[in-house]
Amino acid sequence: MARRIDVTGADGVRLAAWEFGDPAKAGAGPEEGSTPDAPGVLLLHGLMGRASHWASTARRLSARHRAVALDQRGHGRSEKPPEGAFTRDAYVDDAEAALEQLGLGPAVLIGHAMGALTAWQLAAKRPDLVRGLVICDMRASALGGASQREWAEWFASWPVPFATLADVRKWFGEDDPWVERPNPARGEFYAEVMAESPDGWRPVFDPDQMLRSRETWVYDAHWEELAQVRCPALVVRGLDGELGRAEAQEMVRVLPRGQYAEVSDAGHLVHYDQPEAWLTAIEPFLDSLAGE
């Protein structure tokens, strides 16, 4: 079960947050089936993602945590202002606003890709709001202009509109030139960010807004903010993901209280490719934060 909670982000942008938990049992009291006083966890998806991508993780964590996933600006059910700011500061300020308005802090931030960058930048900015950090498959080094051009060309290659969700799953799981071998989990991931329109299935986000968001981080390295994170932090990578082992281990070294974990048979979408192995990697770390 997920309950929607509206949040006001930076510049008044309306954001949708989703609190996950098992439904209360029949006849249970008002507090049973929920964990209002449990330690907070805020989950931040990556570029093009949405809060529902965290559903299995959040439901598992909700047994002992207050688990909330945020649709970041331009994504999911959150507002997508045509002239809105899609800067690093805007994303960080939105996550800060969510923690404060939801009363989650000091919380553990769990971020994937762009969401992980937002998480560690917020942890550096507001250490009082963050007691732990999980960084999933996000690089601290600059990716450069070539990477941005590749992404623009990739968006242009999408055969939208897709006739059916099955076509979405097949293209992103098999036919996409970026797919090295069939990956059904990748197909499911992208099916989750499509919505039906009169002419077929299209993404719920604006690709131009995604490129605007991305260009605010790809040209810069982010080691300085990483070094400013004072809470315990776990860097998780898929063995076939975008974050290489050498860079991941250097990130752990730069983090004052860094730890490392990797998930085999997983690519960039670690939590989708291997959901149980992903949880096995992060749960001991979360348990270790009990005294923080």
Side-chain angles (χ1 to χ4, degrees), residues 139-220:
R139 299 178 61 182
S141 59
L143 302 180
S147 171
Q148 188 71 352
R149 289 191 295 273
E150 288 170 0
W151 272 71
E153 292 169 359
W154 179 57
F155 277 132
S157 75
W158 290 16
V160 291
F162 294 92
T164 67
L165 275 181
D167 292 329
V168 173
R169 295 185 181 98
K170 185 175 186 300
W171 197 82
F172 287 101
E174 300 178 25
D175 300 338
D176 183 349
W178 284 17
V179 175
E180 295 182 357
R181 58 181 182 272
N183 185 342
R186 189 174 188 269
E188 292 295 337
F189 183 94
Y190 283 97
E192 187 71 13
V193 295
M194 296 289 163
E196 191 171 16
S197 61
D199 61 350
W201 292 82
R202 295 178 177 274
V204 298
F205 51 80
D206 179 344
D208 287 339
Q209 289 184 349
M210 298 300 98
L211 288 172
R212 284 165 54 194
S213 298
R214 196 173 185 275
E215 71 182 0
T216 65
W217 87 74
V218 296
Y219 299 104
D220 301 314

Side-chain angles (χ1 to χ4, degrees), residues 77-101:
R77 300 283 185 86
S78 287
E79 191 174 4
K80 305 167 180 64
E83 303 303 321
F86 289 89
T87 64
R88 281 284 80 225
D89 286 345
Y91 280 105
V92 172
D93 290 348
D94 285 349
E96 180 180 3
L99 285 177
E100 292 182 326
Q101 291 171 40

Side-chain angles (χ1 to χ4, degrees), residues 272-289:
Y272 248 64
D273 288 340
Q274 297 293 337
E276 282 301 318
W278 153 253
L279 287 164
T280 298
I282 69 169
E283 284 182 321
F285 173 77
L286 297 178
D287 291 343
S288 74
L289 299 176

